[in-house]
């Protein structure tokens, strides 16, 4: 109500200015003071309504949640899919894991020989698996979900930790996995500690494989690290305010 009253006063003053000859008119000290007061009031009263320059309330970040079909609670899901990538024995070509959507828009059939997009499988057993996992996960396909966390400005995967540093928010914690060291090089992926299979099929068709990793002391300093241990990781995001 007060804002409306002040607006009316300043509008009346400016109307009086416009009713005179513009070329001849000079603002009096009281008129100038009133205008400056109104500018200051509008600037301060609207400070809470307008976001700071360079920041908007609808910004966010995306990340892949490997090993799960859903995103963490309160996080929007962009799409759910299946992990994939280049075949485990191929020595060239793509090296990163892919989160392939479950509703693809397929291209035309081709006859040339350069197949590089396969499904991904957990390569674990009762004697080679992350702590807490079941060996029955072996050779089952890996699901994934692409997640969108609103009002975040950065996303970071931290290897060797299960908690985020101060000022960062944990999205999910997990085990660091990749292909086996005797095969071609592959990106490291942070696979959810409570990973699940894509479905109940168990074809052992290989493709882009996910092996559990462990540390090796030497050039890796122990302590603080521990020799031949599970490698933990955590996906963290940072607020934009």
């Amino acid at each position: 109500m007060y804002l409306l009253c002040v607006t009316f006063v300043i509008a009346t003053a400016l109307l009086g200015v416009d009713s005179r000859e513009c070329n001849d008119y000079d603002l009096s000290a009281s008129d100038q003071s009133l205008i400056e007061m109104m500018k200051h009031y509008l600037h301060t009263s609207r400070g809470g309504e307008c976001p700071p320059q360079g920041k908007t309330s609808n910004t966010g970040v995306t990340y892949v949640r490997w090993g799960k079909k859903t995103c963490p609670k309160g996080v929007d899901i962009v799409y759910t899919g299946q992990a994939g990538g280049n075949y485990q024995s191929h020595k060239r070509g793509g090296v990163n894991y892919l989160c392939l959507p479950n509703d693809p828009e397929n291209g035309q059939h081709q006859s040339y020989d350069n197949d590089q997009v396969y499904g991904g499988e957990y390569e674990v057993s009762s004697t080679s698996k992350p702590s807490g996992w079941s060996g029955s996960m072996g050779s089952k396909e890996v699901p994934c979900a692409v997640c969108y966390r609103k009002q975040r400005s950065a996303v970071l995967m931290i290897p060797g930790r299960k908690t985020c540093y101060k000022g960062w928010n944990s999205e999910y914690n997990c085990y660091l996995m990749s292909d086996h060291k005797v095969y071609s090089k592959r990106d490291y992926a942070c696979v959810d500690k409570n990973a699940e299979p894509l479905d109940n099929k168990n074809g052992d068709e290989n493709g882009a494989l996910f092996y559990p990793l462990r540390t090796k002391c030497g050039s890796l300093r122990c302590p603080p690290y521990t020799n031949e241990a599970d490698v933990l990781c955590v996906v963290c995001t940072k607020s934009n305010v």
Side-chain angles (χ1 to χ4, degrees):
M1 185 66 182
Y2 179 73
L3 177 60
L4 290 175
C5 293
V6 176
T7 303
F8 177 77
V9 171
I10 191 63
T12 303
L14 292 176
L15 185 62
V17 171
D18 289 340
S19 65
R20 307 184 187 189
E21 289 293 333
C22 293
N23 295 334
D24 300 331
Y25 187 78
D26 292 324
L27 291 175
S28 67
S30 59
D31 291 334
Q32 188 65 48
S33 175
L34 181 61
I35 291 172
E36 293 301 319
M37 180 184 70
M38 186 58 188
K39 287 181 179 179
H40 176 74
Y41 177 80
L42 290 174
H43 176 74
T44 56
S45 66
R46 293 179 179 177
E49 300 174 8
C50 302
Q53 290 294 325
K55 294 184 178 180
T56 58
S57 59
N58 61 350
T59 57
V61 295
T62 59
Y63 60 85
V64 178
R65 190 183 190 189
W66 301 104
K68 300 292 283 187
K69 303 173 186 176
T70 59
C71 295
K73 185 178 180 180
V75 181
D76 293 343
I77 186 166
V78 181
Y79 67 88
T80 185
Q82 175 182 358
N86 205 351
Y87 195 77
Q88 48 96 5
S89 62
H90 288 174
K91 302 302 182 184
R92 299 290 186 272
V95 298
N96 57 300
Y97 291 111
L98 303 170
C99 188
L100 302 166
N102 287 334
D103 56 346
E105 297 172 333
N106 296 309
Q108 296 181 356
H109 176 267
Q110 300 293 343
S111 59
Y112 56 79
D113 181 19
N114 192 25
D115 45 313
Q116 289 194 39
V117 181
Y118 293 75
E121 293 181 350
Y122 298 111
E123 200 67 22
V124 300
S125 67
S126 59
T127 58
S128 175
K129 62 183 180 62
S131 300
W133 279 28
S134 169
S136 64
M137 291 276 284
S139 298
K140 285 187 167 60
E141 279 71 33
V142 181
C144 57
V146 175
C147 306
Y148 176 69
R149 169 67 84 172
K150 296 178 181 178
Q151 298 182 340
R152 297 288 192 268
S153 58
V155 59
L156 174 68
M157 187 275 281
I158 305 177
R161 287 186 63 88
K162 61 180 180 181
T163 58
C164 299
Y165 289 105
K166 184 177 180 180
W168 291 79
N169 308 278
S170 176
E171 296 295 319
Y172 71 99
N173 55 60
C174 16
Y175 291 105
L176 197 66
M177 303 184 79
S178 188
D179 210 331
H180 197 278
K181 63 183 181 181
V182 301
Y183 297 132
S184 55
K185 291 183 178 180
R186 182 84 64 182
D187 278 357
Y188 293 108
C190 216
V191 181
D192 197 281
K193 67 176 182 179
N194 297 313
E196 60 186 331
L198 179 70
D199 49 39
N200 292 324
K201 295 180 181 179
N202 190 337
D204 193 19
E205 297 168 336
N206 293 320
L209 302 182
F210 287 72
Y211 280 86
L213 310 179
R214 66 179 189 177
T215 52
K216 183 62 176 178
C217 291
S219 55
L220 180 67
R221 295 295 181 258
C222 301
Y225 288 90
T226 302
N227 194 40
E228 298 181 349
D230 286 329
V231 185
L232 307 179
C233 55
V234 60
V235 175
C236 308
T237 57
K238 191 172 182 64
S239 175
N240 58 5
V241 293

